[in-house]
Amino acid sequence: MRRSLSAEWLKLKNSKIILVIAILPILSLIIGSANFYMNQEVLEGGWHSLWSQVGLFYGEFFLPILIAICCAYICRLEHTNQNWNLVMSAPVSIGSVYVAKFVIVSMLILFAQLVFVGLYWIAGIILSLQGSLPIEIIAWTLRGWFASLSIIAFQLGLSLRFRSFATPIGISLCAVFFGLLMYVSHIGVLFPFSLLTIGLSVLSQDSLAGMQNILFWGMTSLFILLFSMLSIRQLKTKDIVSS
């Protein structure tokens, strides 16, 4: 596992992926903050209202796309020059290859979450919001990151399956809109992209109570395990090299 993780980190050395991870949260903050600023007479919730605006663009659109980009990028090298031959013949297990990619993308998204919260705090200061940063932001950020793990598992499966860099990203974009439909239909716990909306509390800042909380953590864990098992099985049974 350590060798697999080291190999994945080496791929990111001198890459531009960190720049992409920084740019997308910045864009979501700029758009959301501008929308908040122009509608302050309606959005009177201060920090919470700002979160609903910046989080709407970030959690609903930019973060899922960012996850898709990271997953496609982390699999890009293997899909070129038949490098899957080298991966499959390396003295590491197939499970280690998948888990290493999953862990690296998870860490990249956690970094994006921290960048987003930092920018959110700066935006609140610039907009002269009253009071201090809400303590709930910590829970929403970590819960959103955990929900993103299910999307990472889903997108990694797609990126391992398709050699095209754009195809998994296009599927992610379609899933974003389907997830929003699932959320407004009150069955968001049944779809990973809707779970991200619930986890980040971008459309509703109400606390998850009782069964809602159990369903959120349970379904997210189930999706992570399900998609991970399917991806590992795909690596073991499908001839990806010659596809």
Side-chain angles (χ1 to χ4, degrees):
M1 177 58 69
R2 184 179 300 176
R3 296 177 65 180
S4 297
L5 286 171
S6 298
E8 296 300 334
W9 275 123
L10 283 175
K11 294 177 190 176
L12 299 179
K13 189 176 181 180
N14 298 323
S15 71
K16 301 296 190 297
I17 192 66
I18 298 298
L19 183 61
V20 175
I21 291 173
I23 288 177
L24 291 183
I26 290 173
L27 287 176
S28 63
L29 257 295
I30 292 175
I31 298 172
S33 297
N35 192 57
F36 172 82
Y37 179 78
M38 292 185 292
N39 295 279
Q40 290 187 72
E41 66 280 359
V42 178
L43 301 171
E44 301 177 346
W47 287 97
H48 287 79
S49 291
L50 178 61
W51 179 264
S52 68
Q53 296 305 299
V54 298
L56 177 64
F57 293 98
Y58 175 71
E60 288 295 327
F61 300 102
F62 288 99
L63 182 55
I65 298 303
L66 177 59
I67 292 173
I69 291 174
C70 289
C71 289
Y73 186 87
I74 208 74
C75 297
R76 179 181 61 89
L77 183 61
E78 283 83 0
H79 285 305
T80 59
N81 300 321
Q82 294 187 339
N83 283 327
W84 275 117
N85 288 321
L86 297 176
V87 174
M88 294 305 182
S89 61
V92 294
S93 67
I94 297 300
S96 295
V97 173
Y98 173 83
V99 172
K101 292 180 181 297
F102 181 87
V103 170
I104 295 301
V105 176
S106 299
M107 292 301 100
L108 292 176
I109 298 305
L110 179 59
F111 173 71
Q113 289 284 85
L114 296 177
V115 169
F116 176 74
V117 172
L119 293 172
Y120 164 75
W121 176 65
I122 294 172
I125 293 176
I126 294 175
L127 293 169
S128 302
L129 298 183
Q130 299 299 314
S132 58
L133 190 72
I135 192 66
E136 307 96 292
I137 298 299
I138 298 175
W140 295 344
T141 302
L142 293 177
R143 201 170 62 191
W145 176 73
F146 183 70
S148 74
L149 298 183
S150 62
I151 301 179
I152 292 172
F154 172 73
Q155 289 294 150
L156 265 180
L158 293 178
S159 295
L160 291 169
R161 172 66 179 83
F162 296 104
R163 302 184 66 173
S164 168
F165 191 91
T167 300
I169 299 174
I171 294 174
S172 176
L173 185 59
C174 294
V176 163
F177 293 103
F178 185 73
L180 185 58
L181 175 62
M182 294 282 283
Y183 178 85
V184 299
S185 300
H186 305 291
I187 50 176
V189 293
L190 301 178
F191 195 62
F193 288 77
S194 305
L195 286 169
L196 181 59
T197 303
I198 296 172
L200 284 171
S201 294
V202 294
L203 297 180
S204 173
Q205 282 78 55
D206 295 335
S207 300
L208 297 181
M211 185 55 66
Q212 287 181 318
N213 202 40
I214 294 174
L215 283 173
F216 170 79
W217 293 100
M219 292 302 295
T220 302
S221 300
L222 178 62
F223 281 128
I224 294 171
L225 290 174
L226 176 62
F227 292 135
S228 296
M229 290 173 61
L230 289 174
S231 295
I232 293 174
R233 182 177 182 274
Q234 173 182 293
L235 282 172
K236 289 181 177 180
T237 61
K238 185 175 179 58
D239 186 8
I240 300 180
V241 177
S242 61
S243 61

